[in-house]
Amino acid sequence: MTIYLAEELKQNHITVNAVHPGQVATGIWKGDSFLMKLVAPINKKRYASPMDACATSVYLASSKQVEGITGKLFEKENQVKMKALMAYTDNLIEINKVKVIDVKQ
């Protein structure tokens, strides 16, 4: 969708990029279950704070260094190589393919 929008809006000098904030300690794991109580402190230490996680979005919205760049994916202020992303996606699709069996035979 990012690539499509980037192409559609390029003529209007509007840039569109995707952002992966990483793993964020949002408090979603806070709950009453034993598992949630066990996981919450671990996630809080390992994951970025919401303030830190939004840094890439703020960077893309305000930095002159990325002005004019469109249709890309960013993670922690770094552009993600699309070939690596495509290869990763292709691998996931291959792993999750379901073999169709003809039941008439």
Side-chain angles (χ1 to χ4, degrees):
M1 188 65 185
T2 300
I3 295 168
Y4 169 78
L5 275 176
E7 287 299 318
E8 287 292 312
L9 299 173
K10 198 177 221 177
Q11 298 171 9
N12 299 334
H13 306 288
I14 297 172
T15 59
V16 179
N17 291 295
V19 177
H20 185 291
Q23 296 173 315
V24 184
T26 60
I28 194 169
W29 286 102
K30 290 182 181 174
D32 294 330
S33 76
F34 174 74
L35 178 61
M36 288 185 166
K37 287 180 182 179
L38 182 68
V39 172
I42 297 167
N43 286 348
K44 190 172 183 179
K45 289 179 183 176
R46 287 186 24 205
Y47 295 176
S49 71
M51 186 65 85
D52 290 339
C54 74
T56 305
S57 297
V58 172
Y59 169 76
L60 285 173
S62 62
S63 176
K64 295 284 185 192
Q65 292 177 325
V66 293
E67 194 172 290
I69 295 175
T70 191
K72 305 298 180 190
L73 172 63
F74 284 81
E75 183 176 19
K76 295 184 181 178
E77 299 181 10
N78 297 310
Q79 184 176 329
V80 175
K81 302 291 182 204
M82 295 308 280
K83 285 185 180 180
L85 178 63
M86 299 275 292
Y88 177 75
T89 303
D90 288 344
N91 187 41
L92 284 178
I93 291 169
E94 190 65 34
I95 289 170
N96 292 306
K97 276 187 181 174
V98 176
K99 187 174 182 179
V100 178
I101 300 171
D102 186 358
V103 292
K104 293 178 185 175
Q105 292 180 1

